[in-house]
Amino acid sequence: MILEVKDITKNFGEKSVLKGISFSAQSGEALGLLGRNGAGKTTTIRIIMQLFPPNSGEVLVDGKPLSIREINVGYMPEERGLYPKKKVMEQLIYFAELKGVPKDVAIERANKLLSRLQMTEYKDAKLETLSKGNQQKIQLVTTLISNPDIVILDEPFSGLDPVNAMLLKDVVRELIADGKIVIFSSHQMNYIEEFCNNIVIINGGQIAVSGAIKDIKRSYTKNLVLVESDDNEAVKTVLASIDFVKDATQIDSGIKVELLDGHDIKNLMSELSKLDVSISGISLYEPSLSEIFVDYTEVES
């Protein structure tokens, strides 16, 4: 199954929120949908869920317009939407039936998911008596109880302790292994890198960058080099004398060197070999996803 978002635009009054968003996601993979607050992520998600239509563009599944009557979409929102004074099992069944799941099937699935998330003991408890992390897990059960084909997770790890985060990681891996389309939205970049091969970064209602994380990093690093040494101050002094070195910044792993366009690691290695400086290592610098995110969203389009 392939989900395609094609040339989506959306205006609210005179405000243009989405300005031609296009990306795709496929079964058995997780796509990272990233952007600063207000970039257009939530609007994109709501259009996929058909909560409101785009002004132009379309959402397709396998080349046909997405119908939520045929394709089940499960959404775990950042802002939780359950009933605090209702018992857990009662509302799990309620939300499942809203999605057309028969009550007996809903009970069976609820028990299985509660057991999987180590929450069985809370099935007759009111939601408000649970910790924030356990409420988060109940929200996930609500999302998955209808066995959705497309699973959208918005900040799913927010508020979870390390043990529960590990449990949720296992569930996400299972969803991917089961061939679901998983769209993962989070500001916790370590989770994006762990689960997603591909990302889409939205900035100012437009796609700032998209594609495979490894390819984005590879293109990003062409002018960045990591130099390692036991004497960073001496190396920084030497680097300052090289005319094609644009910037040299000390970081935990060494010195991150930015080269002017037209120069690469071979040029730097050649220049450093001529100078009296001790170098223990030199390699292409691989930025973190957080650095890439900041770079592409620092200034709005």
Side-chain angles (χ1 to χ4, degrees):
M1 181 185 296
I2 297 176
L3 171 72
E4 293 178 271
V5 173
K6 297 188 68 174
D7 300 320
I8 292 295
T9 66
K10 184 63 181 179
N11 302 326
F12 293 104
E14 295 182 357
K15 183 176 176 58
S16 178
V17 178
L18 297 179
K19 305 170 185 176
I21 297 291
S22 295
F23 61 84
S24 64
Q26 63 182 31
S27 297
E29 292 185 2
L31 173 74
L33 182 62
L34 311 177
R36 295 170 63 184
N37 294 333
K41 302 188 307 299
T42 300
T43 299
T44 302
I45 289 170
R46 288 173 176 170
I47 288 173
I48 291 173
M49 296 179 63
Q50 298 185 349
L51 294 179
F52 47 67
N55 289 94
S56 64
E58 56 187 344
V59 180
L60 306 175
V61 170
D62 292 337
K64 299 178 181 179
L66 169 63
S67 169
I68 58 173
R69 292 183 178 181
E70 299 176 3
I71 304 296
N72 189 350
V73 180
Y75 176 42
M76 180 176 176
E78 181 178 5
E79 298 297 329
R80 308 309 171 210
L82 301 179
Y83 299 105
K85 297 189 179 298
K86 295 291 185 181
K87 292 182 178 180
V88 167
M89 181 61 85
E90 288 178 357
Q91 54 188 316
L92 290 178
I93 295 170
Y94 170 72
F95 282 110
E97 289 183 320
L98 285 180
K99 284 290 194 82
V101 179
K103 184 174 182 178
D104 57 338
V105 176
I107 293 172
E108 180 182 354
R109 288 180 183 173
N111 283 323
K112 183 177 180 180
L113 287 165
L114 289 170
S115 175
R116 179 69 184 85
L117 291 169
Q118 300 176 6
M119 293 292 292
T120 300
E121 64 183 288
Y122 300 106
K123 67 180 182 179
D124 294 321
K126 291 183 178 180
L127 188 74
E128 64 183 0
T129 66
L130 274 58
S131 67
K132 181 179 178 181
N134 283 338
Q135 289 186 34
Q136 182 96 328
K137 291 197 286 185
I138 296 302
Q139 183 77 61
L140 179 62
V141 174
T142 305
T143 302
L144 301 181
I145 197 168
S146 63
N147 191 28
D149 305 293
I150 300 170
V151 181
I152 303 173
L153 304 174
D154 194 352
E155 297 292 355
F157 291 94
S158 177
L160 294 182
D161 61 50
V163 174
N164 279 324
M166 187 66 68
L167 195 59
L168 181 54
K169 283 184 185 182
D170 291 340
V171 172
V172 173
R173 292 190 187 98
E174 290 166 8
L175 292 171
I176 295 169
D178 286 344
K180 308 294 187 184
I181 293 176
V182 179
I183 297 177
F184 202 111
S185 181
S186 178
H187 290 118
Q188 296 173 285
M189 298 298 159
N190 56 315
Y191 292 123
I192 296 294
E193 291 209 64
E194 185 168 353
F195 294 112
C196 304
N197 293 323
N198 299 291
I199 59 170
V200 174
I201 297 180
I202 301 176
N203 189 41
Q206 297 175 303
I207 301 292
V209 66
S210 65
I213 294 176
K214 63 179 182 180
D215 293 338
I216 293 171
K217 286 187 173 184
R218 190 178 297 123
S219 64
Y220 190 96
T221 62
K222 60 182 179 180
N223 290 338
L224 293 176
V225 177
L226 179 66
V227 177
E228 299 169 86
S229 172
D230 294 329
D231 191 349
N232 286 328
E233 289 304 317
V235 172
K236 286 172 69 177
T237 300
V238 168
L239 288 168
S241 69
I242 300 174
D243 60 5
F244 58 81
V245 171
K246 184 177 180 180
D247 185 54
T249 305
Q250 187 169 331
I251 58 176
D252 290 341
S253 53
I255 300 173
K256 182 174 72 171
V257 183
E258 183 179 0
L259 307 178
L260 294 174
D261 289 344
H263 297 275
D264 58 20
I265 188 172
K266 293 180 181 178
N267 301 135
L268 184 60
M269 290 174 65
S270 175
E271 197 67 24
L272 288 174
S273 68
K274 302 173 187 176
L275 303 172
D276 184 20
V277 63
S278 175
I279 301 295
S280 59
I282 184 168
S283 59
L284 286 174
Y285 176 77
E286 181 174 293
S288 67
L289 187 55
S290 292
E291 288 177 284
I292 292 172
F293 177 84
V294 169
D295 188 43
Y296 279 104
T297 63
E298 202 162 21
V299 180
E300 286 201 351
S301 303

